[in-house]
Amino acid sequence: MELVAKARAGNRRALARLITLVEAGDAQAQTALAALYPYTGHAHIVGVTGAPGTGKSTLVTQMALHWRSLGRTVAVLAVDPTSPFSGGAILGDRIRMQALGGDSGCYIRSMASRGSLGGLSRATGDAVKALDAAGFDIVIVETVGAGQAEVEIAREAHTVVVVEVPGMGDDIQAIKAGILEIADVFVVNKADREGVERTVRQLQMMLHLGSGEHRDGWEPPIVQTVSNTGKNIAEAAAAVERHLAHLKSNNLLELRERERIEREWKVIMRETLLRQLLQRLEPHVHEQLLKQMSERQLDPYAAANQAIESVLEFPQSATPSGQS
Amino acid sequence: MERPIRVLVAKPGLDGHDRGAKVIARALRDAGMEVIYTGLQQTPQMIVEAALQEDVDCIGLSILSGAHMTLLPKITTMLRENDGADILVVAGGIISDEDAAILRNDHGIAGIFGPGSSTHAIIDFIREHVERSSVEG
């Protein structure tokens, strides 16, 4: 595909169109992804997540500037929420990323979540592939301002940075499952504010409450930054790079990639199967099953089995028995 | 699947009034569009770069400083030079009828909306005029 060749040659308009294409998720998108997939797998994918107002966009900008100063090319994907009512969105992350303008080694793209939960858009992974194939050394994905359960980014990124600020939450928040568990690097931003020691102490406590064994043998470092002034940005960036080096030196990168690819493949199969199944389901069967469920004559599990059996000709024993 | 219209809303020049731009951004969002808002004091270079990176269908410019006859043609010229001539450009602000005619006829500003324009009129204009061309090629 010509767009892919152009994007790889550094044509930014072609890259921009390619992302629009994969974001649309239609048949054209599949052609584009097939063409660019062989060139993927080289970028370091860094996720940045945290509650709204913790300074993610400013931190991303500062880290990107730092990496640019070392001669590495950087792409930023910034995801903001889509309105559940109108389907529209206001994407405002660029406001805080102006320092990255006018640099051909840097590319910023805003994405609306388009109805996905989990802090990313359905097409984020595909947009990352386009940026990876275009040859960027580092692809930073900034999630929707996340709460406690927006952990999708852990499945897409090699290294996840969780941004906290002083004075949010108590120590019970810090031991709940969810966003804090996915961190490879903690950044306590706005560290010139009161209460920073307490926040750092709570994070340390959380890290040491467990069995003493950290996932992948990596203890997430805690870096205190002030994004507005650039304080400790180099340290935060260095921690991100150390994490990648750790993954590489222990063959964990390969393993993570394999898991990610398998998960992605299964999601695609699930979506494709569901679409095909719904296409083949007779409208009157569809209607009848819905009616029976509404009238509580049939439970959704049984209705699912009936729908599948009415469409597919496979023996009972071949219906899925376990969740992937 | 129809993808949402993507619009860059930007304020070129040095005036510091962005209430109008924010009202428009909100109205476009409520009309189901994806609005990339870049904030105040944007140079033509910054606006064109953002529009190309974001692959928008339309650029909405809000300008109240009086510098529209310099800044707006610069933006459309740069768009043409950078393979972005297909992007619809509309402007809002304090622009006299004479200036508006020149901007429309000679400089590729497709629509100009003065004070008191309804957001409906702007939304309809954008919907009607964006080129939903295939992105292939």
Side-chain angles (χ1 to χ4, degrees), chain A residues 140-178:
Chain A
I140 306 177
V141 182
E142 181 188 331
T143 72
V144 170
Q148 295 177 318
E150 282 79 358
V151 297
E152 276 298 306
I153 186 63
R155 307 189 204 282
E156 294 290 347
H158 300 125
T159 305
V160 176
V161 178
V162 172
V163 188
E164 293 278 318
V165 289
M168 279 179 94
D170 53 27
D171 41 1
I172 294 303
Q173 303 286 14
I175 57 174
K176 283 186 187 169

Side-chain angles (χ1 to χ4, degrees), chain A residues 16-135:
Chain A
R17 294 212 157 153
L18 201 54
I19 294 175
T20 303
L21 236 170
V22 299
E23 208 182 357
D26 51 16
Q28 270 192 51
Q30 281 192 24
T31 317
L33 281 166
L36 60 83
Y37 198 73
Y39 305 109
T40 60
H42 302 289
H44 182 187
I45 301 161
V46 180
V48 177
T49 189
T54 49
K56 291 185 295 297
S57 301
T58 312
L59 179 77
V60 165
T61 306
Q62 293 283 351
M63 287 204 299
L65 283 172
H66 173 79
W67 278 318
R68 286 299 296 135
S69 75
L70 300 176
R72 313 190 61 194
T73 55
V74 182
V76 177
L77 261 188
V79 189
D80 265 335
T82 290
S83 156
F85 302 110
S86 70
I90 292 187
L91 313 173
D93 289 320
R94 283 190 94 97
I95 296 174
R96 284 173 295 278
M97 295 183 181
Q98 313 229 344
L100 300 175
D103 174 0
S104 63
C106 196
Y107 177 94
I108 309 168
R109 179 69 173 233
S110 315
M111 272 185 118
S113 62
R114 296 194 182 169
S116 273
L117 299 173
L120 298 180
S121 133
R122 186 195 49 72
T124 305
D126 291 338
V128 167
K129 288 188 195 79
L131 295 166
D132 185 353

Side-chain angles (χ1 to χ4, degrees), chain B residues 72-131:
Chain B
L72 300 190
K74 232 181 227 170
I75 291 169
T76 46
T77 305
M78 286 182 67
L79 278 175
R80 272 197 303 274
E81 287 167 359
N82 289 283
D83 189 23
D86 56 318
I87 299 172
L88 179 77
V89 183
V90 298
I94 319 268
I95 297 173
S96 71
D97 290 347
E98 298 85 67
D99 286 355
I102 297 171
L103 289 171
R104 252 195 306 262
N105 297 331
D106 302 341
H107 297 292
I109 309 290
I112 292 169
F113 298 89
S117 304
S118 83
T119 53
H120 287 296
I122 298 170
I123 290 163
D124 289 344
F125 185 88
I126 292 175
R127 281 198 180 131
E128 217 171 287
H129 290 85
V130 284
E131 255 186 67

Side-chain angles (χ1 to χ4, degrees), chain A residues 120-310:
Chain A
L120 298 180
S121 133
R122 186 195 49 72
T124 305
D126 291 338
V128 167
K129 288 188 195 79
L131 295 166
D132 185 353
F136 288 96
D137 297 321
I138 299 166
V139 178
I140 306 177
V141 182
E142 181 188 331
T143 72
V144 170
Q148 295 177 318
E150 282 79 358
V151 297
E152 276 298 306
I153 186 63
R155 307 189 204 282
E156 294 290 347
H158 300 125
T159 305
V160 176
V161 178
V162 172
V163 188
E164 293 278 318
V165 289
M168 279 179 94
D170 53 27
D171 41 1
I172 294 303
Q173 303 286 14
I175 57 174
K176 283 186 187 169
I179 194 167
L180 293 182
E181 268 187 311
I182 63 170
D184 299 306
V185 174
F186 282 106
V187 166
V188 179
N189 196 24
K190 308 189 186 183
D192 50 350
R193 288 197 180 170
E194 205 181 307
V196 62
E197 300 82 10
R198 195 172 131 84
T199 302
V200 170
R201 214 165 40 240
Q202 283 170 355
L203 288 173
Q204 281 167 341
M205 197 189 70
M206 177 204 69
L207 289 172
H208 296 133
L209 267 184
S211 59
E213 297 227 348
H214 293 285
R215 185 167 59 109
D216 297 341
W218 167 263
E219 177 172 345
I222 303 169
V223 187
Q224 300 179 34
T225 60
V226 185
S227 299
N228 280 338
T229 64
K231 189 182 169 211
N232 277 357
I233 292 301
E235 283 75 3
V240 168
E241 291 177 61
R242 267 204 315 282
H243 178 254
L244 182 72
H246 173 82
L247 290 182
K248 278 184 178 162
S249 66
N250 296 288
N251 281 332
L252 290 165
L253 192 63
E254 219 171 296
L255 199 74
R256 273 202 184 188
E257 269 293 287
R258 207 186 131 89
E259 284 172 2
R260 190 188 59 72
I261 290 167
E262 186 173 14
R263 205 158 38 225
E264 181 177 39
W265 179 48
K266 285 184 178 167
V267 168
I268 294 168
M269 286 195 292
R270 190 151 58 217
E271 284 179 0
T272 311
L273 273 176
L274 179 65
R275 200 170 44 240
Q276 294 191 354
L277 190 132
L278 287 175
Q279 273 168 10
R280 288 176 204 186
L281 192 63
E282 298 280 347
H284 74 271
V285 179
H286 188 144
E287 199 44 49
Q288 189 197 347
L289 290 174
L290 267 179
K291 186 165 175 286
Q292 284 178 318
M293 282 186 282
S294 319
E295 289 169 359
R296 301 297 188 272
Q297 295 166 357
L298 198 63
D299 69 273
Y301 287 94
N305 279 333
Q306 284 190 23
I308 291 167
E309 277 162 33
S310 82

